[in-house]
Amino acid sequence: MGTPGIDFPGLGVGLVILRDGKILLYKRMRAPEAGHWSIVGGKVDHMEPAEQAARREAEEETGLSIGRVNLLGTTELISDADAQHWISLLYIASEFEGEPKLTEPNKLSDFGWFNRSDLPHPLSEFAAAAMERLKADELL
């Protein structure tokens, strides 16, 4: 059947989590973009609505209970270095309960709340696309 993202383009989701104007970012340990700071997210399971996948992945990775999410846009990652291809729906949430944790230390090594003017480096393409989408939405 094959592996999403490797044998055929994978469908993923990412969630921008906002609190007091800051964005929650985690440092990735796995491809694609290992060592990069990124928004939380992952793959969409078969027959799973993308919005639910965004909420599920965020809750699994952060330990937060995520409330309402809104579609922010889409992005595509074609990584020659990792030989991966992902198309992702980006969502945004500012309604959640709890404090973030490192709940998947085999996938993520660190996290923090960051101002958009002072983002950590290197930043993943997914996170960079989300930041661009946020800027574009502010211009409307």
Side-chain angles (χ1 to χ4, degrees), residues 13-129:
V13 289
L15 184 63
V16 174
I17 300 173
L18 296 173
R19 179 174 76 182
D20 301 326
K22 294 184 177 182
I23 297 165
L24 181 62
L25 297 175
Y26 278 77
K27 193 167 189 180
R28 297 179 55 83
M29 294 175 62
R30 295 183 178 175
E33 301 187 296
H36 289 68
W37 289 88
S38 191
I39 57 177
V40 294
K43 74 177 186 68
V44 178
D45 292 333
H46 182 66
M47 302 302 291
E48 179 183 33
E51 182 178 313
Q52 286 180 354
R55 188 177 288 109
R56 173 186 54 76
E57 286 285 351
E59 289 177 351
E60 289 173 1
E61 292 180 2
T62 67
L64 297 171
S65 177
I66 306 295
R68 185 172 53 103
V69 300
N70 294 309
L71 183 64
L72 186 59
T74 61
T75 189
E76 183 173 26
L77 170 73
I78 299 175
S79 173
D80 291 331
D82 296 315
Q84 293 200 32
H85 183 181
W86 289 92
I87 298 169
S88 291
L89 301 169
L90 303 173
Y91 291 87
I92 187 168
S94 56
E95 297 176 4
F96 59 89
E97 292 181 10
E99 287 297 321
K101 303 173 196 142
L102 271 177
T103 59
E104 294 184 329
N106 59 327
K107 291 182 178 179
L108 306 165
S109 65
D110 199 4
F111 69 93
W113 294 99
F114 298 91
N115 286 313
R116 283 188 275 171
S117 60
D118 191 26
L119 296 172
H121 295 284
L123 194 62
S124 74
E125 287 189 38
F126 293 118

Side-chain angles (χ1 to χ4, degrees), residues 72 116 130-140:
L72 186 59
R116 283 188 275 171
M131 298 308 112
E132 286 301 314
R133 183 61 77 175
L134 285 171
K135 284 184 200 174
D137 284 355
E138 288 174 355
L139 297 176
L140 298 177

Side-chain angles (χ1 to χ4, degrees), residues 1-10 83-85:
M1 181 159 205
T3 303
I6 295 173
D7 297 315
F8 54 88
Q84 293 200 32
H85 183 181

